[in-house]
Amino acid sequence: MTTNADEPQTRQRRRTPAGAAVLREDVTEAIRAAVFEELAAVGYARMSIEGIARRAGVGKTAVYRRWRSKLHLVLDVVSAIAVMGLPTPDTGSLEGDLRMLYEVTSRALRHPVASQIIPDLQAEAARNPEIADAMQKALREGQEGVASKILAAAERRGEIRPGMDDDLALDLISGPLYWRAVVIRSPKLPKGYLGALAKATTEGLKAL
């Protein structure tokens, strides 16, 4: 019997998925980036899979192969924010750590794309529990993880008392900045605002 030397390679090629069946990561990331741009441009209500695909430079099939609807696509993108994480400050003092946290968070919230997307998704969250859950996860968990580390370090240094109410402390740390950046949507923070906020929050935490 004649043996074809290329036969094993042929069988291997048949076992390998065709290129169209492989979800290329660069395409996935292009679609995720397009979602942010499309949300900022037209809002969630007017956003479409067609618009996302056009902006990403792919066909609609590439989008539907990864997500079955625009809701699931947006939920995936928003939820991914939570796992990105913020850097944990380590300045040696509670006030210094808070000041650094506020500077990083403020820049993120005031980014032109984020400043348009977050209020729009908050409006949708009032009508859609799934978006509401994703928004809470994205906006709270990232801050909560960093804030808990800041408070633990401050407790070890003796700057705050042990056993304080974590939820109240988190509200005190994050509330004012989110109020001004997301609710009031002030175009510019007053000079010295972040430093004053860090100082006032430090005093408030020490009083808890």
Side-chain angles (χ1 to χ4, degrees):
M1 182 176 66
T2 302
T3 301
N4 187 339
D6 293 333
E7 186 176 340
Q9 295 181 8
T10 302
R11 287 199 301 267
Q12 177 62 35
R13 283 197 297 269
R14 287 173 181 169
R15 288 195 295 267
T16 302
V22 177
L23 298 182
R24 288 171 45 190
E25 186 61 27
D26 60 329
V27 173
T28 301
E29 290 308 310
I31 294 172
R32 287 194 173 113
V35 171
F36 281 107
E37 294 171 3
E38 193 74 359
L39 278 171
V42 303
Y44 177 81
R46 294 174 56 197
M47 188 182 76
S48 66
I49 295 296
E50 291 82 358
I52 293 168
R54 184 168 53 251
R55 195 178 290 272
V58 301
K60 288 190 298 181
T61 304
V63 181
Y64 282 118
R65 192 178 292 133
R66 292 162 172 81
W67 300 276
R68 64 179 183 269
S69 69
K70 79 170 186 178
L71 172 60
H72 290 90
L73 174 52
V74 170
L75 290 176
D76 174 67
V77 171
V78 172
S79 297
I81 299 174
V83 301
M84 289 170 60
L86 294 169
T88 301
D90 185 17
T91 65
S93 74
L94 176 57
E95 184 175 335
D97 287 351
L98 291 174
R99 173 63 185 268
M100 185 173 291
L101 174 64
Y102 288 149
E103 288 177 352
V104 173
T105 304
S106 178
R107 285 196 297 270
L109 289 174
R110 301 172 76 81
H111 186 280
V113 174
S115 64
Q116 295 178 68
I117 289 175
I118 293 175
D120 182 60
L121 288 180
Q122 284 180 321
E124 290 297 329
R127 299 183 286 269
N128 189 314
E130 288 184 278
I131 291 181
D133 289 343
M135 286 292 291
Q136 181 177 8
K137 181 181 180 67
L139 293 178
R140 184 177 180 87
E141 287 192 1
Q143 282 276 324
E144 193 170 42
V146 176
S148 65
K149 293 177 182 176
I150 289 176
L151 293 173
E155 183 178 321
R156 288 194 299 270
R157 291 190 297 261
E159 294 181 275
I160 57 175
R161 70 173 182 81
M164 68 169 54
D165 186 322
D166 290 341
D167 287 336
L168 181 57
L170 179 62
D171 289 344
L172 185 59
I173 291 172
S174 302
L177 191 57
Y178 276 88
W179 171 264
R180 181 172 285 274
V182 178
V183 181
I184 298 179
R185 301 187 70 184
S186 176
K188 187 177 181 180
L189 292 175
K191 184 177 180 179
Y193 176 80
L194 295 180
L197 178 60
K199 182 178 179 61
T201 304
T202 298
E203 295 303 316
L205 290 169
K206 289 180 177 179
L208 289 182

